[in-house]
Amino acid sequence: MNKKSIKIAIGVFLFLGIVAIFDYLTPAEVEWIPTISKTDAQPYGAKATLERLSDIFDKRPEVSQKALYIVNKNTTVNHSLILGDIYLRLSKTDVESVLEFVERGNQAMLLSEGFPDELTDTLNIEYKAEYLKDTVQTRSLLLKVNGKLTKFNNVKRGNDIYFKLPTGCKYEVLGYDSNHRPNFIAIPRGKGMLYLHTDPVAISNFNLLYGNNAYISTLFSYLKKSNSIIWDEHYKSMVPHNDSSLIYIVANPSLRASYYLLLAIGIIYVFAFGRRRQRAIPIIKAPRNISLDFIKTISRLYFFERNNKDIATKKITYFFDRIYSSTGHRFTAVADEARRNLLSEILSCPVESIDELYALIALINSQYQVADKTLLELDKIMSKIQKKV
């Protein structure tokens, strides 16, 4: 390795060292994106919440990355499903699967600021939304505890979303917002129970660590403690599903350092040993088809000028010239019935097609401008007759 390569290697290592130091010292940026995801340690993620569930329930929660119809197919009874997202985008099949899951004797708790029409229409419920400019504030929420409403202060919330239930509805209201509007309801289905909550942010890391964590514990107490808990990660709209191995490498400090080292070695190799060690092989280009370029240029010129009359006149001239070259008989754009019959006999073509061609030629000669449709019709008739030439 010569001196120049050594200097390049030192420069690369210094640059990567500075990048690594800045990467280590730069504080992580706080993101207020409501993912409600087990992998997100940001305020609106649910990494801490999922860890807390192990203390609330008898069994450690199972994280599901599968669609609801697969979850429904692979479970029997004594299961509790938790789906939390800023907006649950469930298909008709998903809604049918979760309802069948509940009717079989399980529980499902859906927390979202918006529910699909397939679900609300089936359950005959509506929800209203009041979107707030400041969603970083904390407010009060109410929950039923042992049959009595209990107020929970300092609960971090998202937008004001509440249910509007029909008159005479038998669904049980378990929770209210600060304006005493229902935001948490229980719906019996078959042998199980379906819970709907309009505030997924209420179970986020922020509420567990900095807000009122008693609200989260009380909310999840409606699920049977002995049930097997299924935490859904499949229906997370705000979580980027990137399966790239590079994302995994960069997220791990040890692998990231090894990756940078490998890049440095590769750069040094390129500068130090990447020179060509044999004479360059010349690239011989294939001869260009100048005739094709000429045809394209002329065609483009005709296309932009849009002079259909000139194109039609030339096509007629070339058509009769080709007949003369092939048969030795000269025909013109004007012909009587005898000449048309002769042309039909020479080309073994129906007289009707020849008459149609001459009628169209007469129409074109009588017009100052020729429409696109007429030009296309002329080309179609000529192409049909020229097959016989």
Side-chain angles (χ1 to χ4, degrees), residues 211-247:
N212 196 331
N213 54 27
Y215 183 84
I216 297 178
S217 301
T218 307
L219 182 68
F220 285 133
S221 67
Y222 283 97
L223 301 177
K224 293 180 181 179
K225 190 175 181 181
S226 59
N227 274 7
S228 298
I229 304 300
I230 303 174
W231 176 276
D232 170 74
E233 281 290 314
H234 181 77
Y235 298 91
K236 302 295 184 185
S237 58
M238 302 302 291
V239 177
H241 297 281
N242 196 328
D243 299 329
S244 172
S245 56
L246 186 59
I247 298 296

Side-chain angles (χ1 to χ4, degrees), residues 275-329:
R275 292 181 178 179
R276 184 184 294 275
R277 300 191 180 184
Q278 66 178 24
R279 189 177 62 181
I281 301 174
I283 299 175
I284 301 175
K285 295 183 179 180
R288 283 187 66 183
N289 190 344
I290 306 299
S291 301
L292 183 61
D293 291 340
F294 175 75
I295 292 172
K296 288 181 179 179
T297 302
I298 298 300
S299 301
R300 197 176 296 111
L301 178 65
Y302 273 104
F303 177 78
F304 285 117
E305 283 191 357
R306 309 293 293 180
N307 191 347
N308 292 346
K309 178 66 179 284
D310 185 45
I311 296 174
T313 303
K314 285 183 170 61
K315 284 185 69 67
I316 294 169
T317 303
Y318 297 151
F319 174 77
F320 287 116
D321 185 66
R322 183 178 178 185
I323 291 177
Y324 174 73
S325 300
S326 302
T327 64
H329 292 270

Side-chain angles (χ1 to χ4, degrees), residues 108-110 115 119-120 123-127 142-144 162-166 169-176 181-188 193-198 215 219 222:
M109 182 177 288
L110 278 59
F115 299 94
L119 182 64
T120 55
L123 301 177
N124 192 25
I125 59 173
E126 295 181 26
Y127 63 91
L142 292 88
L143 278 179
K144 274 188 179 181
Y162 57 92
F163 290 110
K164 186 177 180 182
L165 303 177
C169 178
K170 296 183 180 179
Y171 300 159
E172 184 180 3
V173 179
L174 302 177
Y176 299 86
R181 296 173 299 195
N183 71 336
F184 182 36
I185 59 176
I187 303 172
M193 188 69 71
L194 175 65
Y195 299 96
L196 300 182
H197 198 292
T198 62
Y215 183 84
L219 182 68
Y222 283 97

Side-chain angles (χ1 to χ4, degrees), residues 30-205:
V30 178
E31 295 183 355
W32 295 90
I33 300 175
T35 62
I36 320 298
S37 171
K38 75 174 183 70
T39 59
D40 192 359
Q42 296 289 346
Y44 284 173
K47 185 177 181 180
T49 304
L50 185 62
E51 294 173 356
R52 179 74 176 90
L53 291 181
S54 301
D55 301 328
I56 298 176
F57 298 98
D58 295 340
K59 301 176 183 178
R60 186 176 182 83
E62 173 193 349
V63 177
S64 173
Q65 297 278 5
K66 301 175 183 177
L68 283 172
Y69 77 93
I70 298 178
V71 174
N72 179 46
K73 181 180 178 181
N74 295 340
T75 55
T76 53
V77 293
N78 300 324
H79 286 80
S80 296
L81 175 65
I82 301 175
L83 283 90
D85 190 43
I86 195 67
Y87 186 88
L88 284 174
R89 290 174 172 81
L90 304 180
S91 65
K92 183 179 179 181
T93 303
D94 295 330
V95 171
E96 292 173 352
S97 298
V98 74
L99 293 179
E100 184 180 337
F101 173 84
V102 171
E103 289 168 357
R104 200 164 54 242
N106 298 301
Q107 296 175 308
M109 182 177 288
L110 278 59
L111 303 99
S112 177
E113 289 189 0
F115 299 94
D117 294 339
E118 289 80 2
L119 182 64
T120 55
D121 292 344
T122 302
L123 301 177
N124 192 25
I125 59 173
E126 295 181 26
Y127 63 91
K128 299 293 182 181
E130 292 182 4
Y131 297 101
L132 307 176
K133 294 182 179 179
D134 180 17
T135 58
V136 185
Q137 60 182 316
T138 57
R139 284 159 285 177
S140 300
L141 290 179
L142 292 88
L143 278 179
K144 274 188 179 181
V145 181
N146 297 324
K148 297 181 180 180
L149 282 178
T150 303
K151 188 176 183 180
F152 294 85
N153 296 316
N154 197 32
V155 179
K156 176 68 191 71
R157 296 190 58 203
N159 295 295
D160 272 330
I161 315 293
Y162 57 92
F163 290 110
K164 186 177 180 182
L165 303 177
T167 306
C169 178
K170 296 183 180 179
Y171 300 159
E172 184 180 3
V173 179
L174 302 177
Y176 299 86
D177 61 12
S178 54
N179 296 319
H180 208 78
R181 296 173 299 195
N183 71 336
F184 182 36
I185 59 176
I187 303 172
R189 296 284 300 186
K191 298 179 181 180
M193 188 69 71
L194 175 65
Y195 299 96
L196 300 182
H197 198 292
T198 62
D199 205 341
V201 175
I203 64 168
S204 63
N205 296 326

